[in-house]
Amino acid sequence: MENKENRIRARIMVDIDGYLDAPLLVASGEDEKADIDQLLTADGIPFIPGSSMAGVLRSYLEQAAGLREAEVLFGTLGWAQRPGENRDKDGKTLEFQSRILIYDTCLENSDPARRDGVRLNEGKTSDENMKFDMQAVETGADCRIRLEIIIRESQVTDTLDAAIDQDLARVKYCVSGLKRGSLRLGARKNRGFGKLEVRGVHYRTFRMENRDDFQAWLDWSWDQADAFDGSEEWDAEALLVERPEGEHCMQIPLTLSGTLLIRSYASPRWGKESGSEPDRDMSADCGQLTLKDGAAVIPGSTWAGAVRSYIADLARQIGGFGSWEDAQKALEPFWGTWSTGRTRNALRASRLVFEETKISGGHSLPVYRTAVDRFTGGAARGALFGETLWAGGNVRLTIRWQEQGLDELEKKALPGMLLWAAQGLGSGLLTVGGESGVGRGIFEAAKSVLLDGEPVEKEEAYLQAAARWCRRQKEVQDGQNTADHVHMRAR
């Protein structure tokens, strides 16, 4: 006897065509080629597991629409995590599996990249045991994300078309997040990694009650050349929907007035030269970090570290903190955990996303330097070294954040601090990269700073709010104010 209690009414196939607009790191848990290795297939092709993709899509949808809405598409998390909830009228636990199938995403035409990381102290020297390196997939790799949505009888509360439209709206919201850059993949998302540029999206719907659709689904395959012929699509304009409430973006246009050095080192243990260093003169000891097309880049981690250190110094002076370290701890609600020795539950992620920045224009500049023996006035033995710098060019620093969970003062204080950084960058007081002591990494303001696409209005109000927030944080550290202002985890 046929069981029609919860039959499948429709299947929606969604094909997302895109490419990496920033490096990507999906860690494998191994450390054979670097401290953090990229996840690869048996054939050596980097890929994004379907489970990783499902996690970020679910989290993004849940943050915007709530847990219940996410469970409608991605299934329940388990009754043990929500005691007393998720039960039917008879008291039985209600659990249901995900209705969306997400396939592994292989990254084609990819190149390996090596990235170095280090934490610097107040004197811009590295802290002990804080140097590491990682594998990543270089910018430009092609990818094809494939989703399959199943609609059952229980989801059709009105009409089948209405149920299809609701699921497509949920997926479209997530895809638009990829397009805008607010939804990112893999590790180090807050430091510029994991941004995907969406070229286009096609989707095809098979209604199981329609005989022709059912037969077409039986004969259909993802790899067919005509798999999406005659299907519907979302173009780029359709994906750039209105910015979600509470999502903000600041853009700071700058001109590199001199030279820049974000160090990148050659290493034979990678098997071949990284695709991000094809044109570097191998006789140089180090050189400016570049992409495979030769364009120089400034990683998001470099921006974040320089900006945080500069703001910490200003906060120390304005708020009256006893030390630079105390000011760093005060910034943790915005920038994330800085100090070591915390338990895992006490760690906090940064709410700021610093985009990786490509320098437009400029050129590489090989230089050679040596140390001078102060007694003889001649070159010191073994002290000759070469570098490949980057000279000139324009950049646009992009910073994103969510204001969810912030009070009214904090909503103004955070952009106010970023305006401090913009002023420091434009005046040359805030430098970026190595060898700032010999004049490298100095920028000039190019155009007006933009907040959510518009020139900043009432700039003074933001700057004053930042100063008030610093003084309030000092009162919290001294025990003169409640700690409620410090706990700002997004709800």
Side-chain angles (χ1 to χ4, degrees):
M1 182 176 180
E2 184 180 3
N3 181 11
K4 296 186 178 181
E5 182 179 352
N6 199 23
R7 60 182 176 174
I8 296 177
R9 297 287 304 275
R11 294 177 183 266
I12 308 172
M13 310 298 184
V14 182
D15 182 79
I16 305 169
D17 177 41
Y19 64 92
L20 295 183
D21 198 30
L24 174 74
L25 171 59
V26 180
S28 66
E30 303 293 335
D31 57 358
E32 296 180 358
K33 297 183 179 179
D35 294 315
I36 306 174
D37 287 356
Q38 168 68 34
L39 184 63
L40 305 173
T41 67
D43 298 326
I45 300 174
F47 75 101
I48 306 171
S51 56
S52 297
M53 186 70 70
V56 295
L57 294 179
R58 178 186 180 121
S59 177
Y60 189 73
L61 182 60
E62 181 178 328
Q63 184 180 31
L67 179 61
R68 295 289 188 182
E69 183 70 12
E71 286 184 339
V72 169
L73 187 59
F74 289 92
T76 52
L77 290 172
W79 66 271
Q81 299 186 37
R82 299 171 59 193
E85 297 186 26
N86 231 28
R87 298 179 183 273
D88 63 11
K89 61 182 180 180
D90 298 324
K92 295 181 180 179
T93 301
L94 289 176
E95 292 186 89
F96 40 92
Q97 68 182 29
S98 171
R99 294 189 295 109
I100 183 169
L101 283 67
I102 303 178
Y103 296 80
D104 290 348
T105 302
C106 288
L107 301 169
E108 305 292 344
N109 304 317
S110 61
D111 291 288
R114 167 188 168 176
R115 292 297 177 93
D116 297 293
V118 65
R119 193 177 82 167
L120 304 181
N121 55 33
E122 184 178 7
K124 296 194 72 174
T125 59
S126 60
D127 283 340
E128 188 175 358
N129 298 324
M130 288 298 176
K131 169 71 174 67
F132 61 95
D133 62 358
M134 69 196 85
Q135 273 188 320
V137 183
E138 190 56 274
T139 301
D142 295 312
C143 61
R144 183 185 179 192
I145 302 174
R146 301 180 297 178
L147 315 176
E148 180 178 348
I149 305 169
I150 298 174
I151 300 178
R152 292 185 175 272
E153 184 72 44
S154 58
Q155 277 78 50
V156 183
T157 56
D158 186 7
T159 65
L160 179 58
D161 286 343
I164 291 173
D165 290 342
Q166 288 174 354
D167 280 345
L168 285 174
R170 296 181 181 108
V171 173
K172 186 176 181 180
Y173 178 78
C174 293
V175 177
S176 67
L178 288 171
K179 180 69 176 178
R180 292 193 311 274
S182 55
L183 195 164
R184 292 166 177 263
L185 309 172
R188 301 184 67 80
K189 292 185 284 288
N190 291 341
R191 296 299 175 257
F193 278 36
K195 184 179 180 183
L196 177 69
E197 177 61 36
V198 178
R199 294 191 185 102
V201 182
H202 292 81
Y203 63 93
R204 184 169 180 178
T205 304
F206 297 99
R207 290 170 170 80
M208 297 293 100
E209 297 172 348
N210 183 295
R211 185 180 182 85
D212 292 338
D213 272 13
F214 185 77
Q215 185 61 50
W217 171 71
L218 290 176
D219 298 333
W220 189 84
S221 169
W222 287 100
D223 297 322
Q224 291 174 343
D226 59 348
F228 288 91
D229 284 357
S231 63
E232 298 182 78
E233 64 178 305
W234 298 321
D235 58 21
E237 294 298 326
L239 294 174
L240 292 175
V241 296
E242 183 178 354
R243 187 184 70 253
E245 184 178 359
E247 182 178 298
H248 297 285
C249 175
M250 180 176 289
Q251 294 177 307
I252 307 174
L254 300 165
T255 298
L256 179 60
S257 55
T259 56
L260 176 71
L261 178 59
I262 309 296
R263 289 185 179 90
S264 180
Y265 299 91
S267 175
R269 66 174 175 162
W270 286 76
K272 64 176 183 178
E273 274 308 295
S274 168
S276 64
E277 304 166 341
D279 299 324
R280 176 136 62 79
D281 181 1
M282 296 311 299
S283 64
D285 296 282
C286 66
Q288 166 62 34
L289 178 65
T290 60
L291 300 178
K292 62 182 179 181
D293 61 1
V297 293
I298 305 176
S301 56
T302 298
W303 285 117
V307 170
R308 177 172 184 163
S309 178
Y310 179 79
I311 291 178
D313 189 51
L314 291 180
R316 178 182 61 81
Q317 301 174 50
I318 295 173
F321 294 98
S323 66
W324 182 79
E325 287 78 8
D326 289 341
Q328 284 281 13
K329 294 178 182 178
L331 294 176
E332 289 184 356
F334 294 146
W335 263 268
T337 304
W338 176 81
S339 56
T340 57
R342 304 285 187 90
T343 63
R344 186 173 182 84
N345 291 336
L347 299 179
R348 180 180 301 172
S350 170
R351 68 168 60 240
L352 292 162
V353 176
F354 285 81
E355 299 274 12
E356 178 158 300
T357 305
K358 181 184 292 189
I359 302 177
S360 61
H363 58 89
S364 60
L365 179 65
V367 297
Y368 295 89
R369 302 172 61 195
T370 187
V372 174
D373 188 314
R374 62 177 180 170
F375 296 105
T376 65
R381 180 181 294 274
L384 177 67
F385 63 96
E387 302 171 320
T388 302
L389 311 176
W390 195 266
N394 298 295
V395 299
R396 181 181 291 269
L397 171 58
T398 301
I399 309 169
R400 305 178 188 274
W401 70 94
Q402 287 277 355
E403 66 176 20
Q404 185 180 18
L406 303 182
D407 63 27
E408 292 305 314
L409 176 60
E410 294 156 350
K411 290 178 182 178
K412 289 185 176 294
L414 181 51
M417 292 181 182
L418 296 179
L419 287 173
W420 286 351
Q423 292 177 351
L425 286 166
S427 62
L429 296 176
L430 170 52
T431 58
V432 177
E435 300 187 350
S436 58
V438 293
R440 314 217 193 283
I442 298 176
F443 292 86
E444 298 176 354
K447 297 179 181 178
S448 299
V449 176
L450 301 180
L451 179 59
D452 298 331
E454 301 291 337
V456 180
E457 297 182 357
K458 300 180 180 179
E459 183 175 310
E460 193 67 26
Y462 291 110
L463 299 175
Q464 292 176 358
R468 289 198 303 273
W469 184 84
C470 291
R471 288 190 285 267
R472 189 175 76 177
Q473 290 299 98
K474 179 62 167 63
E475 293 175 358
V476 171
Q477 284 193 2
D478 293 343
Q480 301 174 15
N481 206 333
T482 65
D484 293 338
H485 297 304
V486 180
H487 302 294
M488 301 187 300
R489 294 184 180 91
R491 295 182 289 274

